[in-house]
Amino acid sequence: MGILEGKRILVTGVLTDSSIAFHIARLAQEQGATVVLTGYGRLGLVKRIAKRLPEEPPVLELDVTDDEHLASLADRVREHVDGLDGIVHSIGFTPQEALGGNFLNTEWDDVAKAMHTSTFSLKSLTTALLPLMDKGGSVVALDFDNSVSYPIYDWMGVAKSALTSTARYLARYVGDRNVRVNLVSAGPLSTMAARSIPGFETLAEHWPERAPLGWDVKDPEPAAKAAVALLSDWFPATTGEIVHVDGGFHSTGA
């Protein structure tokens, strides 16, 4: 019996089989969960990638900045499962104008898009699905260490800082429903999303030598395992927490 036996988990952000979200969905199924995926923009691609999972899950369209999509989400999920025990928030977007060293010149409209998609969506996704979590459950969001600044990450780093704070406040307000909210802060991984960041190699190049355990930018499984553990019942009294899965990079100095 797996640690997610009988659980019903919604996973966002599966775009390719190199994404952390894909491996979370795969491991969740291997651990006994029923999985529902959401995607947006390239739904055909998401459906093709879904066929590579151990069991092909349903794929629902979801734009987390669209109020109509969010309002109908719970009903659309109910067409496939009778409730949810877990939600995986693996959603992030920042316009190119807000990355790559353009921090001082970025316009508010671009910052607002980054914050809406990458940060506020954690709250809006969770509240849209709370009616399906009447027995409690676990929300896990994917983060990136934001205790310091990084070259080229710019406003996405600011959005991740806000995501951290959002998770803490969300944990405060849904705790009385027995819903936990935690973050997995992964090191840099060579996903499609990461490769879209100009200068990603600059961000990642020193990670393996600085991380006490080393770091493989091509291996999303350690982060996925942490997310699956947090989705399980093995962390019943943990909420508002950040679990770093980065080889220990965050804990080291120069």
Side-chain angles (χ1 to χ4, degrees):
M1 179 180 289
I3 62 172
L4 295 184
E5 193 69 35
K7 301 288 189 187
R8 302 150 300 176
I9 308 294
L10 181 134
V11 181
T12 66
V14 172
L15 188 57
T16 71
D17 56 8
S18 67
S19 65
I20 304 175
F22 175 87
H23 290 276
I24 293 172
R26 174 181 61 81
L27 290 170
Q29 287 185 340
E30 291 174 357
Q31 291 298 318
T34 298
V35 170
V36 177
L37 303 183
T38 72
Y40 175 67
R42 304 175 71 177
L43 212 58
L45 176 59
V46 178
K47 290 179 178 179
R48 288 198 298 275
I49 295 300
K51 296 179 186 295
R52 301 181 186 178
L53 290 167
E55 295 181 22
E56 184 181 351
V59 178
L60 308 180
E61 184 177 21
L62 175 63
D63 175 359
V64 287
T65 67
D66 187 316
D67 289 342
E68 292 184 2
H69 280 206
L70 290 165
S72 67
L73 182 59
D75 288 338
R76 290 187 285 133
V77 172
R78 281 194 189 97
E79 295 176 6
H80 303 282
V81 291
D82 58 358
L84 285 176
D85 304 287
I87 301 167
V88 177
H89 179 280
S90 178
I91 299 170
F93 171 75
T94 306
Q96 291 294 303
E97 293 80 5
L99 296 165
N102 195 44
F103 186 87
L104 296 179
N105 300 315
T106 304
E107 299 291 340
W108 165 244
D109 285 348
D110 292 319
V111 174
K113 289 176 184 175
M115 297 293 284
H116 193 177
T117 309
S118 307
T119 303
F120 185 76
S121 62
L122 176 59
K123 176 266 179 187
S124 56
L125 175 67
T126 302
T127 53
L129 293 173
L130 275 178
L132 299 179
M133 303 182 81
D134 57 314
K135 296 180 180 179
S138 174
V139 178
V140 179
L142 299 183
D143 197 9
F144 187 76
D145 179 59
N146 48 77
S147 60
V148 296
S149 65
Y150 294 96
I152 64 92
Y153 205 48
D154 293 355
W155 286 100
M156 191 62 180
V158 177
K160 288 297 188 182
S161 292
L163 179 71
T164 301
S165 186
T166 300
R168 292 192 186 107
Y169 277 92
L170 193 57
R172 171 184 288 269
Y173 287 107
V174 299
D176 61 354
R177 300 170 183 250
N178 197 31
V179 174
R180 296 168 281 124
V181 183
N182 294 290
L183 300 171
V184 171
S185 179
L189 291 162
S190 187
T191 62
M192 179 177 288
R195 291 192 297 271
S196 69
I197 300 173
F200 169 76
E201 295 78 10
T202 303
L203 180 64
E205 64 179 346
H206 297 298
W207 213 278
E209 63 192 51
R210 279 268 307 277
L213 295 177
W215 183 250
D216 184 353
V217 299
K218 296 181 180 179
D219 185 9
E221 187 155 318
K225 284 182 175 179
V228 168
L230 288 168
L231 289 167
S232 78
D233 294 331
W234 283 92
F235 286 86
T238 299
T239 195
E241 187 58 87
I242 305 170
V243 177
H244 289 86
V245 185
D246 62 357
F249 182 96
H250 75 283
S251 68
T252 64

